[in-house]
Amino acid sequence: MPRPELRTITFTIDGKEVEAPENVMLVDGAKHGDVEIPVFCYEPKLGAPVGACRMCLVEVEGIPKLQTACSTPVKDGMVVHTQTERVRKAQEAVVEFLLINHPASARFRTSPTAGAAGPRASSSPSATSASRWSSAR
Amino acid sequence: VADILDAAVAQAQDAGLLRHVYLVVHRGAGAYICGEETALLDSLEGKRGNPRLKPPFPANQGLYQGPTLINNVETLSTVPHIIGMGGDEYAKLGTETSTGTKVVSVSGNVKRPGNYEIELGIPSREIIFGLAGGLEEGRRVKLWFPGGSSAPVLTEEHLDLPYDFDTMAKAGSMLGSGSVIVVDDSNRVLDVALWTARFYRHESCGKCTPCREGTNWTVKMLERIDAGEATPMDLEIMAGIQEQIIGNCLCVLGDSMAMPIGSMIKHFRDEFEEHIEQARMRQERAMVAS
């Protein structure tokens, strides 16, 4: 059996040039550049990525929509941004979407994400996040 | 409809027209999402009709992992005409960028709802008032969906725009499925929004976060507005939710709710604010009375 060929490619993530094996998912490829992309539903041991939680949305140059890093294979010359305003907003929104209808799990404090203010903050009626919280119920 | 298609397939077979093709009519079991191309493929394979992650796109890996071409029946139905007339001749119909004809399905507060084949680029007014017979006596167009319930709404001032792909996109909406839904001024925009949001909450497959949670959250907020428990700030939050749904979902169903709801808030902000205020006053009076 011939040994599978290992190809290394170079891509740019947050301004850094990073080498990674070709076609690994962006979430894993990013680790080669010490960049961590948050994930909830990505677990390779459970099979192919599903891209359902949308937590790993990142910006890939040349693609108009944000892409899920868990299901996007790295390609040579790809330029990825994980720290832009657009990405931050989308990821915060995902956390907010998840917490808004699951008060029990909102006990976790995952600041600095906006939606994670949780029920503690909702006890102070003046806080913006508190009224956001209460408005969903 | 499936029975009609089945009968047509049988006729074609008897006439010996299907010697090298095999035609099957497969029902989507009524699920809205089965109109989405990848959910449609899952449905065809006998699975639950859930959208797939793209890429790979169906043209590369579609039905049973084979490359698959997906077309609307409407698209296929124009093929004989294009061949018959010749491509150049057919392209003379319509406008420069939206050539040919389109079947529009007009519904809502019109006298003659139904399907009409139009040449692209005719004034939208012509479709609603000409073909569909206009509105009931004394009623005015409050809003209309130019391309199905997933298209951003337009108002009375957009009625004179030509009905084609480019113009509708420039006006901030889309031609989409070509189903024109007309809503007259006897309806509250809040009810239209509630109806739209509830539909998409029901049809959401629940797979991805923004769509599953966002549709539910939007319905709850609209219900709060209706119940007099909302503040004007809630409108701001609701508009923000819509922005965070658009483009961030697994498929376009989330966008399909976020686009019309977002456009309704944009065009009818005053009316929403009025609903919030009136419902609050109603509730306060009820509190005092009790």
Side-chain angles (χ1 to χ4, degrees):
Chain A
M1 190 182 76
R3 176 183 287 193
E5 199 187 332
L6 191 71
R7 277 196 61 196
T8 305
I9 54 96
T10 310
F11 73 107
T12 310
I13 185 160
D14 296 339
K16 276 183 284 188
E17 287 218 340
V18 176
E19 284 193 353
E22 191 184 29
N23 283 334
V24 297
M25 293 307 163
L26 204 42
V27 163
D28 296 321
K31 291 174 186 161
H32 291 274
D34 300 321
V35 172
E36 189 169 351
I37 299 170
V39 291
F40 289 140
C41 74
Y42 179 60
E43 177 46 73
K45 287 176 198 149
L46 293 177
V50 280
C53 77
R54 318 305 284 176
M55 192 57 205
C56 60
L57 285 171
V58 293
E59 223 173 308
V60 181
E61 279 186 16
I63 307 178
K65 280 189 183 180
L66 296 179
Q67 296 295 305
T68 45
C70 72
S71 65
T72 309
V74 285
K75 300 275 179 209
D76 198 41
M78 201 178 225
V79 182
V80 185
H81 303 281
T82 72
Q83 299 297 320
T84 57
E85 178 72 9
R86 201 170 148 222
V87 170
R88 199 180 56 81
K89 269 195 168 166
Q91 293 182 345
E92 281 180 2
V94 169
V95 175
E96 187 168 22
F97 278 132
L98 284 171
L99 290 183
I100 211 76
N101 282 309
H102 301 88
S105 51
R107 243 175 259 136
F108 300 107
R109 283 214 156 195
T110 51
S111 59
T113 38
R120 285 194 202 164
S122 67
S123 57
S124 68
S126 59
T128 322
S129 51
S131 43
R132 277 192 149 213
W133 171 257
S134 59
S135 64
R137 279 180 295 176
Chain B
V1 179
D3 293 337
I4 300 171
L5 289 172
D6 275 332
V9 172
Q11 275 175 2
Q13 213 139 30
D14 291 344
L17 295 170
L18 299 179
R19 250 167 298 167
H20 304 291
V21 262
Y22 184 56
L23 272 180
V24 178
V25 179
H26 187 91
R27 298 185 187 209
Y32 181 77
I33 193 61
C34 286
E36 197 274 338
E37 53 180 8
T38 58
L40 183 147
L41 292 173
D42 265 15
S43 176
L44 271 176
E45 289 178 7
K47 299 171 188 156
R48 182 181 160 176
N50 272 2
R52 296 178 185 174
L53 196 62
K54 285 185 278 192
F57 289 94
N60 296 324
Q61 267 177 44
L63 189 63
Y64 303 114
Q65 302 301 310
T68 308
L69 178 68
I70 302 174
N71 272 311
N72 269 320
V73 174
E74 187 189 6
T75 309
L76 298 175
S77 74
T78 56
V79 172
H81 299 290
I82 296 173
I83 294 172
M85 292 168 72
D88 293 336
E89 201 59 32
Y90 184 81
K92 281 182 191 161
L93 291 169
T95 68
E96 206 175 309
T97 47
S98 304
T99 54
T101 65
K102 172 97 189 147
V103 176
V104 292
S105 167
V106 192
S107 63
N109 302 124
V110 288
K111 282 187 192 150
R112 282 199 304 271
N115 293 319
Y116 301 97
E117 186 177 7
I118 56 141
E119 195 176 337
L120 284 164
I122 67 166
S124 309
R125 186 180 290 280
E126 176 78 28
I127 299 169
I128 296 169
F129 288 89
L131 295 166
L135 286 66
E136 290 298 324
E137 248 7 90
R139 289 288 167 208
R140 299 182 64 168
V141 173
K142 178 169 194 160
L143 58 93
W144 57 290
F145 297 79
S149 67
S150 61
V153 300
L154 294 176
T155 58
E156 201 175 11
E157 63 179 279
H158 300 105
L159 279 177
D160 288 315
L161 294 176
Y163 190 78
D164 63 60
F165 288 95
D166 273 6
T167 314
M168 289 299 125
K170 272 185 205 136
S173 188
M174 58 185 198
L175 197 118
S177 62
S179 115
V180 177
I181 306 168
V182 184
V183 177
D184 74 20
D185 57 357
S186 66
N187 297 283
R188 302 190 308 167
V189 69
L190 183 59
D191 290 329
V192 183
L194 257 173
W195 170 82
T196 312
R198 278 187 184 136
F199 173 76
Y200 286 103
R201 175 176 72 172
H202 179 78
E203 294 291 345
S204 171
C205 80
K207 205 164 163 180
C208 77
T209 312
C211 178
R212 178 186 65 241
E213 305 294 338
T215 50
N216 191 33
W217 192 1
T218 305
V219 170
K220 283 183 175 175
M221 293 190 80
L222 289 166
E223 283 170 349
R224 283 165 50 85
I225 292 177
D226 202 24
E229 293 165 10
T231 63
M233 210 185 75
D234 285 326
L235 211 54
E236 235 39 71
I237 296 170
M238 203 160 75
I241 303 171
Q242 311 313 320
E243 274 171 35
Q244 285 311 328
I245 296 174
I246 296 175
N248 289 347
C249 297
L250 192 80
C251 76
V252 290
L253 193 125
D255 300 29
S256 300
M257 181 208 67
M259 290 192 297
I261 299 288
S263 68
M264 280 179 222
I265 300 173
K266 193 177 103 194
H267 290 304
F268 297 94
R269 183 174 284 270
D270 295 350
E271 200 186 314
F272 275 110
E273 281 169 357
E274 213 180 294
H275 282 313
I276 292 174
E277 201 45 46
Q278 277 178 358
R280 272 162 71 98
M281 287 192 344
R282 231 180 14 245
Q283 227 202 9
E284 269 172 34
R285 273 200 301 275
M287 293 243 294
V288 171
S290 65

